[in-house]
Amino acid sequence: MKKIVTILNIDPTKHTLLIKPNITTRGFVLVNENADLIREIENKVAEIVNRTLAGRYNITDLKNQIILELNMFINEKTGRRPMILPVIMEVTKK
């Protein structure tokens, strides 16, 4: 099974993405040979998250939005449909 895991650190009080998304793949593409594609996926995930965090959101809706939009994006780029697993960690900075 081809998988993409997106790991996100967000601040739930400030509604911000703390660092760029971390993208990990299993059986989808080799990261070393597809650095440009991985960077495009990171940028797309950051765009989705920042847009969603700007309004009212909950974690489930955010995960579903990432899966929906990233599925379409990756299918357009590669013709593939890997399983997308968003992992969201809420981190409150003081």
Side-chain angles (χ1 to χ4, degrees), residues 30-91:
L30 294 174
V31 174
N32 296 341
E33 296 175 8
N34 295 283
D36 290 341
L37 176 61
I38 298 299
R39 199 167 17 264
E40 287 181 52
I41 292 170
E42 286 174 353
N43 292 337
K44 183 65 176 176
V45 171
E47 172 194 317
I48 295 165
V49 171
N50 288 326
R51 186 179 65 243
T52 304
L53 291 179
R56 293 182 55 86
Y57 78 97
N58 64 48
I59 296 297
T60 303
D61 290 343
L62 179 57
K63 286 181 179 183
N64 288 337
Q65 195 64 32
I66 291 168
I67 292 167
L68 177 71
E69 290 189 43
L70 205 51
N71 246 329
M72 290 186 294
F73 180 77
I74 291 170
N75 191 29
E76 286 174 13
K77 292 280 183 186
T78 67
R80 297 180 185 174
R81 289 194 168 278
M83 178 186 293
I84 298 171
L85 302 167
V87 176
I88 300 172
M89 294 181 279
E90 293 184 315
V91 179

Side-chain angles (χ1 to χ4, degrees), residues 4-42:
I4 292 180
V5 179
T6 65
I7 302 169
L8 308 164
N9 292 315
I10 62 170
D11 184 329
T13 58
K14 296 180 182 174
H15 299 257
T16 57
L17 184 60
L18 297 173
I19 59 173
K20 74 177 186 162
N22 182 316
I23 307 299
T24 305
T25 69
R26 294 287 177 258
F28 174 59
V29 294
L30 294 174
V31 174
N32 296 341
E33 296 175 8
N34 295 283
D36 290 341
L37 176 61
I38 298 299
R39 199 167 17 264
E40 287 181 52
I41 292 170
E42 286 174 353

